[in-house]
Structure formats: C-alpha cells, structure tokens
Amino acid sequence: MENPKENPNPESTAGGVPKAVISRLSLYLRELEHLERTDKATTSSSQLGSVLGFSDAQVRKDLAYFGQFGYPGIGYRCSELIGAIRHILGTDRTWTCCLVGVGNLGRALLGYKGFHQRGFRVVAAFDVEHDKVGSSIEGVDVYHLDRLPELASENTITLGVIAVPAPAAQAVADRLVEAGIEGILNFAPTTITLPDGVSHVGVDLAMELEQLCFAVLNSRDKTND
Amino acid sequence: MENPKENPNPESTAGGVPKAVISRLSLYLRELEHLERTDKATTSSSQLGSVLGFSDAQVRKDLAYFGQFGYPGIGYRCSELIGAIRHILGTDRTWTCCLVGVGNLGRALLGYKGFHQRGFRVVAAFDVEHDKVGSSIEGVDVYHLDRLPELASENTITLGVIAVPAPAAQAVADRLVEAGIEGILNFAPTTITLPDGVSHVGVDLAMELEQLCFAVLNSRDKTND
C-alpha cells in the first residue's frame, strides 16, 4: 500500500492506528467470514491468530484499538466481530465504484467476484478505445472516458479503479479527482499525485513479486545461518 | 502482504528490517527507474521522498539499514542506487516462475509486462481444464497441473503464482511446495498454510479495496474535525 501524500508518520493512519493493524483487520475479517461459512459461531484470538500466523497477543492488541469484543469463556462471536470489523473498515455499506481501462487486467477485475461479494458495486467502466466503448464486460457497460463526470455524478461514484498503462495513470487520476471521486485503487505501476482529501491505495503486481523475492532470499539466509 | 507463519514480530523480516521498509525499497526502485528513463543521473532523499509522500529523513533512514549510498553535494547516483536496491531485493537476477490458474486474472497476469520488465520469467502455466491445457497465452504454454513436478524440475522454477479460486488454493499451494517451489504469490482470496522455508506474499484485491474504504472514511473524519 502506498501513501502518496506527505505524512509525518507514514505508518499510521490519521487516527493514530498503525496501517499494519488496518491490513490485519482485513485478514481477520476474511478468516471470520470463512469460519462463519463453515458454521463456526465463535472463535478465539489464538485460533484466529494461528491460522494467520500471528500470536494471540497480536490479535488482541490489534482489536483493542477499536474496543472490547471478546467474552470471557466464549471468545469472539464470529458474526458480531464480522459486523464490528466491517463497520471499522467501512464495508458495512455499499461503495459505488468505476473502473478505468478495460485491457486484460481491467477485464479480469470486472470479472472478479470478490469485489461484489464484499459490497463493492462497479457501475461503469471507461476506456478511450473505440472498439471497447459501447461494449459490456461482465455486465458492466464500457463508456468513453469523456462521459466520466456525467456518470460519476448520476451514480454518486465514490471509488475509482485505475487499470490503464503507467504513462496514462496520472491523467486518469486527475479526471477521477475532477469527477469528485474520493478514493483511488491504482493498478498502474507508477506513483500518482493526488490532492489532499483523495485517498489512494496502490497495487503494483511486480512490486509484490519483488517482495516475494526478498522473502525467499531472507529465508535462504536464515536456513544457511 | 500476509505472513502465514507464526512470527514473534510479524512486522519485521528475519534480518530485523521492518517489512514496511522492504515495501518502500520497491517504491524507491520504481521511482529511480523512472528517473533514469527520463535521463536524470542523480537524485536526493528529499526529491525521492517528495514524489512518494515520504520525508527525506524517512528515505535516509530506510536506506541506512543497508549501507551508505549518498555522496556529499551529489546525492544518490540513480544507476548505482538502482543496482544496490535490486541486489537487496534479489531482483538483480532472473527468477523463473510458473502460474497456476489461467482464468481471467491468470490471463491478465500472463499479459502483464511489468513482470518481464523486472526480470521475472514465467516459463509455464498450469490448469486442470481440458479446453485450456495445450493452449498458449501471451507466449506461455499451458500444461495440465499434473505435469508441474516434471516442468518445475526441468526449468528450475523458483516462484509460483496462484490465480485459482479460493477453494482450490491450498491444494495448489501444496503441489507447488511438493514441486520444490520456494516462494508463492497468492492471488486467491484465502489464507494458505505453508511449511517453514517457503515464502509467501498474498494479494487480495478486495482487501485492497477495503483498505481504501478505511482511508476514505478516515479522510472524511479528518475533514470534519
């Protein structure tokens, strides 16, 4: 996750909660949803932690930023903790999104069931290529990028997903900002600059592989110690 | 990024360097490569930081984990710092990868130029569906998953990318481990369990959108303060 704005402590959110904690909340949520689907009504910090590779103390400490969720002798009630984490992350409501760039990655993202399952509603896709504009991909209509302001306003689009090549990303980001989008998920492998008040998460797939390489080397070193 | 193994301090690597630092190294590298492509020979910690939204002190502190890279009155020589960071991350060599699951996302990943540009060579793709096996996508041949051990050994495949649906991910991970893969990049939205010595980075696209929602809410709160 990237932070494109100057921030005295880039590892914390404005509320002083470390970003790593917010990241782990998403992991806890995914695991709790899995437990609920398999008919587990309750869990504990040690059970939740052990699946994810964290200590029980870590789980308790992370949750303690937001309140008291466990019950003595019971642990956590899955459905209750799911509700609480969704509320903290803001995914207890529906977010209206658009996607810009329907190349290979954009098409894959439009077909990604995980978005819909977690309450993200992609209401429009945009591109500038004539053979794409006017088509419909996974039930989402593709419009010319020039129609972004009009459709963003009509549909109250809050989040924008950028899936265009790196050289086009900043211009697309600027147009999303002009159209009143509050948050951008950027898959273009480049840094984009945004004004204050517009949030940003960057996902660079090659960077994730780089992180994996480092982990592999790090693990080899450890084995050779 | 997820850490599936029990770790007393999940925010640090085995070498004691915070994971957030390794993440930022990838960002510095991407920015330095951009500067080099635009014929900038040198840069400074404040220039590098300001583009990425970090302070110059943060940049200096991050790099100081690995040595002394700047020159008084000059700053950093881009090509030199690029080489140093690539060496730290381990991307100064070619990594041989395979991909399992050639659905929408798998196809998009095979077409993703960023992997090739950063030295990741995808030598084989695997699936179990008969209409996919035997095809070639973006120049990469698709084999039946049963041929993984043979091809992993022939090609010395080190990294595996999982792009199968969540319920199939653990079984695929187990087969990658059996085939001797050292690191797994998992795009399936589920936690996978791996033995010691196998590294893991998880990318859950819906989780990234969740993190964005939190950032948007956090930013709204700040504005309303």
Side-chain angles (χ1 to χ4, degrees):
Chain A
M1 202 171 2
E2 300 162 37
N3 175 8
K5 281 190 238 76
E6 191 78 35
N7 181 338
N9 182 359
E11 264 122 77
S12 287
T13 65
V17 182
K19 283 192 177 169
V21 173
I22 309 300
S23 247
R24 286 195 294 270
L25 280 191
S26 270
L27 283 174
Y28 300 151
L29 175 57
R30 194 175 73 182
E31 198 50 41
L32 287 161
E33 286 170 339
H34 173 72
L35 289 171
E36 204 184 40
R37 275 195 304 274
T38 53
D39 294 323
K40 308 279 189 303
T42 62
T43 186
S44 63
S45 47
S46 60
Q47 192 189 21
L48 203 49
S50 81
V51 181
L52 297 166
F54 306 128
S55 68
D56 54 336
Q58 179 79 60
V59 176
R60 281 195 300 272
K61 192 179 151 202
D62 287 348
L63 294 175
Y65 279 100
F66 307 96
Q68 171 67 42
F69 302 103
Y71 297 93
I74 296 177
Y76 304 109
R77 294 197 172 102
C78 293
S79 65
E80 198 180 298
L81 192 51
I82 287 171
I85 296 181
R86 281 191 188 148
H87 184 71
I88 295 163
L89 293 174
T91 53
D92 56 346
R93 65 206 78 185
T94 301
W95 292 82
T96 308
C97 321
C98 69
L99 178 138
V100 185
V102 291
N104 283 327
L105 181 62
R107 283 165 188 272
L109 293 171
L110 288 175
Y112 186 62
K113 287 175 190 69
F115 288 154
H116 189 75
Q117 279 161 4
R118 311 240 202 132
F120 299 106
R121 209 161 62 87
V122 183
V123 295
F126 298 95
D127 209 296
V128 290
E129 288 184 21
H130 291 293
D131 56 331
K132 289 172 180 165
V133 172
S135 68
S136 170
I137 298 167
E138 306 279 344
V140 179
D141 289 334
V142 181
Y143 301 93
H144 193 282
L145 187 57
D146 288 344
R147 295 194 56 195
L148 171 62
E150 165 202 346
L151 285 150
S153 148
E154 266 173 27
N155 296 285
T156 336
I157 297 176
T158 312
L159 306 179
V161 179
I162 297 183
V164 300
Q170 183 64 54
V172 166
D174 293 343
R175 293 179 79 160
L176 286 167
V177 170
E178 275 167 42
I181 264 77
E182 289 182 81
I184 290 178
L185 182 61
N186 178 30
F187 285 94
T190 186
T191 302
I192 53 176
T193 309
L194 296 170
D196 276 346
V198 179
S199 301
H200 170 240
V201 167
V203 184
D204 182 328
L205 304 175
M207 268 180 55
E208 301 290 352
L209 259 183
E210 278 175 8
Q211 297 293 307
L212 181 61
C213 291
F214 179 83
V216 167
L217 290 184
N218 199 49
S219 164
R220 283 184 191 164
D221 287 350
K222 211 166 63 176
T223 314
N224 296 337
D225 271 354
Chain B
M1 201 173 0
E2 300 162 38
N3 175 7
K5 281 193 237 71
E6 190 77 34
N7 181 338
N9 181 359
E11 265 119 77
S12 286
T13 65
V17 182
K19 283 193 177 168
V21 173
I22 309 300
S23 246
R24 285 196 293 271
L25 280 191
S26 270
L27 284 175
Y28 299 151
L29 175 58
R30 194 174 73 181
E31 197 51 42
L32 287 160
E33 287 170 339
H34 173 73
L35 288 171
E36 204 183 39
R37 275 196 304 274
T38 53
D39 293 323
K40 308 280 190 304
T42 62
T43 186
S44 63
S45 46
S46 61
Q47 192 188 20
L48 203 51
S50 81
V51 181
L52 297 165
F54 306 128
S55 68
D56 54 336
Q58 180 79 61
V59 176
R60 281 194 301 272
K61 192 178 150 202
D62 288 346
L63 294 175
Y65 278 101
F66 306 98
Q68 172 68 41
F69 302 103
Y71 297 92
I74 295 177
Y76 304 110
R77 294 196 172 101
C78 292
S79 65
E80 197 180 298
L81 191 52
I82 287 171
I85 296 180
R86 281 191 188 147
H87 184 71
I88 295 164
L89 293 174
T91 53
D92 55 347
R93 65 206 80 185
T94 301
W95 292 82
T96 308
C97 320
C98 69
L99 178 138
V100 185
V102 291
N104 282 327
L105 181 62
R107 283 166 188 272
L109 292 171
L110 288 174
Y112 187 62
K113 287 174 189 70
F115 288 154
H116 189 76
Q117 280 162 4
R118 311 240 202 133
F120 300 106
R121 209 160 62 88
V122 183
V123 295
F126 298 94
D127 209 296
V128 290
E129 289 184 20
H130 291 295
D131 56 331
K132 288 171 182 166
V133 171
S135 68
S136 171
I137 297 167
E138 306 278 345
V140 179
D141 289 334
V142 182
Y143 301 93
H144 193 281
L145 187 57
D146 289 343
R147 295 194 58 195
L148 170 63
E150 164 203 346
L151 285 150
S153 146
E154 267 173 26
N155 296 284
T156 334
I157 297 176
T158 312
L159 306 179
V161 179
I162 297 183
V164 300
Q170 183 64 53
V172 166
D174 293 343
R175 294 180 78 160
L176 287 167
V177 170
E178 275 167 43
I181 265 78
E182 289 181 81
I184 291 178
L185 183 60
N186 178 30
F187 284 94
T190 187
T191 302
I192 54 176
T193 308
L194 296 170
D196 278 345
V198 179
S199 301
H200 170 241
V201 167
V203 184
D204 182 327
L205 304 175
M207 268 180 56
E208 301 289 352
L209 258 183
E210 279 176 8
Q211 297 293 309
L212 181 62
C213 291
F214 179 85
V216 168
L217 289 185
N218 199 48
S219 163
R220 283 183 193 166
D221 286 350
K222 211 167 62 177
T223 315
N224 296 338
D225 272 353

